[in-house]
């Protein structure tokens, strides 16, 4: 065991330093630089400022220095976004740009010489949230919005009873009548008004697609591509569901797997109305329409569940289903 430890230490020394002689024949040792990362300041929704101080070049000229940052810990120059602030020891300042709002970032200063690249201590920060923006529908309902991955979404489900031009969207409570519809309609889950207060209204796809416009002015029903952009930005379909769900079990049934609501989307499990007019899955599932149809009878939907962390365009459902609606800014 002692021989193995000695061998490992020897290998480490080979990679971190080298020995040479100066003009007088004296032995000199070169190592990677020593440096620290500066505190982050001037944090906005999409930028910040940091820097570093290189206290020692390790015996060889600093050939590159700057910052590297990522949304994951331990950023490196090969895996992260970087700046390049020239050469030499001493202090430098860098601007960190191109960031997403309300997102945690990890940053380290770096410095390179002939022996390799050294990193300063890791500093993390959270970018600022954008100012609260609201949008009002034709009924006078006001919705807060949230900026995620350079998209702006309504923060709650749609609750409107009229199209943009003022035309009434009929409320249909009878199951048989609902099942026969090929035009726009809405309902409350289980035809219970208090469900609408929490979860908004459920709409069939014909209301979503009506040319008179369901969303407030300046907003629209998201397409399949826009949903996928959001999901991909949040880490892909296998994990994005947790980031989109409201935390806890006040509305979601236990265990509400993986819920973090890390970006403020606050998805609620409003359930759905089946195409036969019955209701299902309040507390278990959140479901939202896509604007894009699949075929003559079906359209795409997004689904989140109380017992899984995934999200995605999981499939298609009959256009006569009643689902929740979220809106995205034009």
């Amino acid at each position: 065991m002692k021989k193995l430890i000695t061998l490992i230490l020897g290998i480490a020394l080979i990679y971190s330093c080298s020995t040479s002689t100066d003009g007088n024949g004296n032995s000199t040792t070169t190592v990677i630089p020593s440096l620290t990362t500066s505190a982050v300041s001037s944090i906005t929704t999409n930028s910040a400022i940091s820097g570093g101080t290189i206290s020692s070049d390790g015996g060889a000229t600093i050939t590159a220095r700057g910052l590297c940052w990522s949304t994951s810990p331990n950023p490196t120059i090969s895996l992260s976004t970087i700046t390049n602030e020239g050469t030499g020891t001493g202090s430098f300042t860098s601007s960190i740009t191109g960031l997403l709002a309300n997102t945690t970032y990890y940053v380290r200063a770096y410095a390179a010489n002939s022996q390799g690249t050294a990193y300063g201590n890791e500093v993390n920060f959270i970018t600022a949230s954008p100012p609260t923006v609201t949008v009002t529908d034709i009924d006078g309902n006001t919705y807060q919005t949230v900026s995620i991955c350079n998209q702006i979404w309504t923060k709650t489900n749609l609750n409107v009873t009229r199209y943009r031009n003022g035309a009434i969207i009929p409320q249909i409570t009878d199951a048989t009548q609902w099942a026969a519809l090929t035009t726009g309609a809405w309902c409350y889950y289980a035809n219970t008004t208090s469900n609408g207060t929490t979860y908004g209204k459920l709409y069939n796809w014909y209301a979503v697609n009506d040319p008179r416009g369901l969303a407030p002015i300046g907003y629209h029903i998201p397409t399949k591509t826009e949903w996928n952009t959001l999901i991909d930005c949040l880490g892909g379909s296998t994990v994005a569901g947790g980031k989109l769900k409201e935390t806890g079990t006040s509305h979601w049934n236990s265990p509400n797997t993986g819920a973090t609501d890390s970006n403020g989307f606050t998805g609620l499990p409003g359930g759905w109305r089946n195409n036969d007019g019955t209701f299902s899955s309040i507390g278990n599932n959140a479901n939202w329409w896509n604007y894009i149809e699949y075929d003559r009878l079906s359209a795409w939907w997004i689904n989140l569940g109380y017992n899984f962390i995934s999200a995605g365009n999981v499939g298609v459902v009959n256009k006569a289903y009643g689902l929740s609606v979220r809106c995205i800014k034009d």
Side-chain angles (χ1 to χ4, degrees):
M1 178 63 76
K2 290 182 178 180
K3 289 182 179 180
L4 177 60
I5 293 172
T6 301
L7 176 62
I8 293 172
L9 291 174
I11 293 172
L13 288 172
I14 290 172
Y15 282 94
S16 63
C17 64
S18 63
T19 302
S20 60
T21 56
D22 61 19
N24 298 319
N26 298 315
S27 177
T28 60
T29 299
T30 304
V31 297
I32 59 176
S34 297
L35 72 160
T36 58
T37 307
S38 303
V40 179
S41 62
S42 302
I43 300 170
T44 70
T45 56
N46 59 8
S47 66
I49 293 175
S50 182
T53 299
I54 304 169
S55 56
S56 171
D57 63 10
T61 302
I62 300 294
T63 56
R65 65 183 192 176
L67 294 177
C68 55
W69 66 89
S70 173
T71 54
S72 300
N74 300 314
T76 66
I77 59 173
S78 61
L79 299 175
S80 310
T81 308
I82 69 170
T83 62
N84 192 325
E85 301 299 340
T87 61
T89 58
S91 298
F92 63 88
T93 300
S94 278
S95 294
I96 307 170
T97 58
L99 308 180
L100 298 174
N102 194 30
T103 302
T104 299
Y105 285 91
Y106 301 85
V107 58
R108 295 197 294 180
Y110 74 87
N113 65 11
S114 58
Q115 294 306 303
T117 301
Y119 296 94
N121 53 295
E122 181 178 272
V123 177
N124 65 72
F125 66 99
I126 302 175
T127 49
S129 298
T132 300
V133 177
T134 60
V135 59
T136 303
D137 66 28
I138 193 169
D139 286 344
N141 300 308
T142 298
Y143 307 86
Q144 289 190 353
T145 66
V146 60
S147 177
I148 311 174
C149 301
N150 298 318
Q151 297 174 320
I152 298 177
W153 293 82
T154 54
K155 199 173 166 65
T156 52
N157 296 336
L158 197 64
N159 201 31
V160 73
T161 63
R162 291 184 291 164
Y163 295 110
R164 284 186 190 177
N165 69 348
I168 296 293
I169 308 167
Q171 178 185 9
I172 304 298
T173 58
D174 180 75
T176 301
Q177 187 179 358
W178 180 277
L181 287 169
T182 56
T183 56
W186 68 269
C187 64
Y188 296 120
Y189 185 94
N191 296 317
T192 302
T193 303
S194 60
N195 285 328
T197 302
T198 301
Y199 302 104
K201 293 176 172 61
L202 301 176
Y203 299 87
N204 64 14
W205 188 82
Y206 302 107
V208 167
N209 188 244
D210 194 288
R212 290 171 288 186
L214 183 64
I217 293 175
Y219 286 73
H220 61 274
I221 313 303
T223 65
K224 185 170 181 281
T225 298
E226 288 169 324
W227 276 112
N228 281 335
T229 296
L230 175 66
I231 290 166
D232 290 345
C233 182
L234 295 180
S237 61
T238 58
V239 298
K243 297 178 181 180
L244 292 171
K245 292 191 292 183
E246 180 193 56
T247 58
T249 55
S250 294
H251 299 108
W252 285 94
N253 290 334
S254 182
N256 197 12
T257 303
T260 64
D261 197 24
S262 57
N263 293 276
F265 188 84
T266 318
L268 295 178
W272 65 76
R273 190 172 197 175
N274 295 294
N275 59 316
D276 64 1
T278 60
F279 295 90
S280 181
S281 290
I282 194 167
N284 283 351
N285 294 92
N287 315 275
W288 296 284
W289 280 118
N290 262 297
Y291 181 76
I292 303 301
E293 68 179 351
Y294 178 73
D295 59 24
R296 185 177 64 86
L297 297 176
S298 305
W300 292 96
W301 71 335
I302 300 295
N303 177 267
L304 310 180
Y306 77 104
N307 60 350
F308 55 83
I309 196 172
S310 60
N313 289 284
V314 296
V316 295
V317 293
N318 191 287
K319 293 176 180 178
Y321 266 60
L323 303 182
S324 301
V325 170
R326 286 290 184 101
C327 301
I328 187 171
K329 188 174 175 61
D330 296 346

